Amino acid sequence: MEKTAVLRELREIGLVPVLRADSVDQALALADAIAAGGVTVLEVTMTVPGAIEVMRRLAEQRPEILIGAGTVLDAETARMCILEGAQFVVSPALNVATIEMCHRYSVAVLPGALTPTEIVTAWQAGADVVKVFPAGAMGGPKYLTSLKGPLPHIEMIPTGGVMLGTAAEFLEAGAFALGVGSDLVSAKMIADGRPEVITEIARKYLEIVRAFRLKQKA
């Protein structure tokens, strides 16, 4: 999929579930539960044991899922993930060499930043979207509103503090999409044999995004 199509799908789905798990099997089970709820975007973090294998198997077995590599801290890791099927690359911080590597492969790159200076620096370095992290620690939706005021041209994905109760507020504040962590991607629910809980939460997130998009068009 071309980069423009990847970015379009990220915006359309409106969610980037941040997958953290204790094993390959647990990660794949989380991916299945999330996709069953209609969310076909997934960020596999490099903190997952066997993260590369997870990406490889998802690319082979679940081609309908848009696979991202998360917690990518350097250019070589980005390259390795891209070669294994990652269609976008996410980082909690800004690493210019990683942005350059993603540009080389025409892959969407979403570096992390927090302050206005960091966000502008990431955008000027070539970020397709800036991951605002940790958004919750800085005031959540109100902080994003404050950022978008002087920086309306910079696309931002808030991550940290995004929950069902705050999702609509983040979208109203101007979020390109929402980075969602443990509120959706619950390894405990998999361990307890309750993947249907994750599936239902995924559906609820999608309903919030779709309701917001409809309101925008009205």
Side-chain angles (χ1 to χ4, degrees), residues 6 9 11 14-15 29 35 45 52 62 81 87 100-102 118 122 150 162 172 183 191 193 199 204 206-207:
V6 168
E9 187 163 341
R11 184 177 183 84
L15 299 169
T45 65
I52 294 295
R62 302 298 301 267
C81 293
Q87 294 170 285
E100 292 171 348
M101 181 65 74
C102 291
E118 292 170 351
V162 178
E172 292 280 0
D183 191 53
T199 299
K204 288 179 180 178
L206 276 185
E207 288 170 6

Side-chain angles (χ1 to χ4, degrees), residues 145-180:
T145 299
S146 297
L147 292 171
K148 291 291 287 186
L151 304 172
H153 58 293
I154 299 180
E155 301 290 8
M156 303 180 199
I157 292 183
T159 306
V162 178
M163 299 174 288
L164 284 173
T166 61
E169 291 179 78
F170 272 114
L171 291 168
E172 292 280 0
F176 176 84
L178 306 173
V180 189

Side-chain angles (χ1 to χ4, degrees), residues 19-28 30 44-57 70-71 187:
L19 194 156
R20 300 188 188 281
D22 298 323
S23 67
V24 170
D25 287 343
Q26 189 180 71
L28 293 172
L30 279 165
V44 180
T45 65
M46 293 305 294
T47 57
V48 175
I52 294 295
E53 182 183 348
V54 174
M55 290 180 217
R56 183 186 304 122
R57 288 175 62 176
T71 321

